[in-house]
Amino acid sequence: MSKVFTSPVYGVQAVPLEKIRANAYNPNSVAPPEMKLLETSIWEDGYTQPVVAYYLTEEDVYEIVDGFHRYTVILTSKRVREREGGMLPIVTIDKPLEGRMASTIRHNRARGTHSIELMSGIVAELVESGMGDAWIMKHIGMDADELLRLKQVTGLAALFRDAEFSAVRASTATGVI
């Protein structure tokens, strides 16, 4: 009779930070603006996804397989660390090193990318519902130029009704510098 598989997410546990460490093989990196957005997301929404780890019995430590940047946030954000009581939600997988490496790559690659058309549609909906540029930039993690570009994709003049253009931006748009 074969063993019944249970997904790791059903076994989330709170683990103290001092019992967690990064792995040495994660090729993924996140740019500073996205790290800031991740910190905002975790602060606003809490940890909605546990970190995936492997438990090293002989060292009594959890080595991260996926979730290094969520782990980094709790290490670098005092407000998040204090709110979470120095604990991080962890699920464990039990695989040899090569299996863990493959899992890390799969997790990284499976996240996908954002469609410009869909993102501009979301921006349009937010603007039309009354959210201002400052709110959108803060809560979606965009800078002013990115927001402007997404508004331009939709081609809706209504999205620009509250836009503030700097002299540089205005002169660049007209071709006069």
Side-chain angles (χ1 to χ4, degrees):
M1 187 160 154
S2 65
K3 181 181 173 187
V4 176
F5 180 79
T6 303
S7 292
V9 75
Y10 296 110
V12 177
Q13 55 189 319
V15 175
L17 291 175
E18 57 273 6
K19 288 188 145 220
I20 304 168
R21 74 174 185 208
N23 67 47
Y25 53 82
N26 188 359
N28 193 20
S29 64
V30 174
E34 283 75 21
M35 281 302 294
K36 184 174 180 350
L37 180 60
L38 180 58
E39 195 271 347
T40 299
S41 175
I42 291 170
W43 179 249
E44 295 283 330
D45 302 327
Y47 277 91
T48 58
Q49 296 179 11
V51 169
V52 179
Y54 174 77
Y55 181 64
L56 296 160
T57 309
E58 63 282 354
E59 297 178 53
D60 188 30
V61 70
Y62 293 82
E63 186 173 80
I64 295 172
V65 173
D66 179 65
F68 171 76
H69 297 100
R70 283 172 269 149
Y71 169 67
T72 300
V73 165
I74 201 168
L75 292 178
T76 60
S77 174
K78 182 179 178 186
R79 68 182 184 164
V80 169
R81 188 172 52 259
E82 287 177 353
R83 184 192 64 200
E84 300 296 324
M87 306 290 272
L88 192 63
I90 297 281
V91 295
T92 58
I93 61 172
D94 187 15
K95 295 182 175 191
L97 179 60
E98 62 276 3
R100 298 192 308 267
M101 290 175 148
S103 291
T104 296
I105 301 305
R106 281 194 303 271
H107 279 90
N108 289 344
R109 296 192 70 198
R111 285 191 176 85
T113 59
H114 286 150
S115 157
I116 292 172
E117 292 81 15
L118 293 175
M119 284 300 294
S120 61
I122 290 169
V123 166
E125 284 186 43
L126 290 171
V127 169
E128 290 167 2
S129 71
M131 298 296 107
D133 288 357
W135 188 95
I136 294 169
M137 289 185 297
K138 177 182 177 187
H139 293 278
I140 307 294
M142 295 180 182
D143 63 28
D145 290 331
E146 182 180 14
L147 179 58
L148 176 63
R149 285 190 301 275
L150 287 173
K151 285 181 173 184
Q152 289 170 333
V153 168
T154 65
L156 297 175
L159 298 181
F160 295 97
R161 68 177 166 262
D162 296 323
E164 293 180 22
F165 293 94
S166 68
V168 171
R169 204 179 276 159
S171 63
T172 304
T174 61
V176 178
I177 298 182

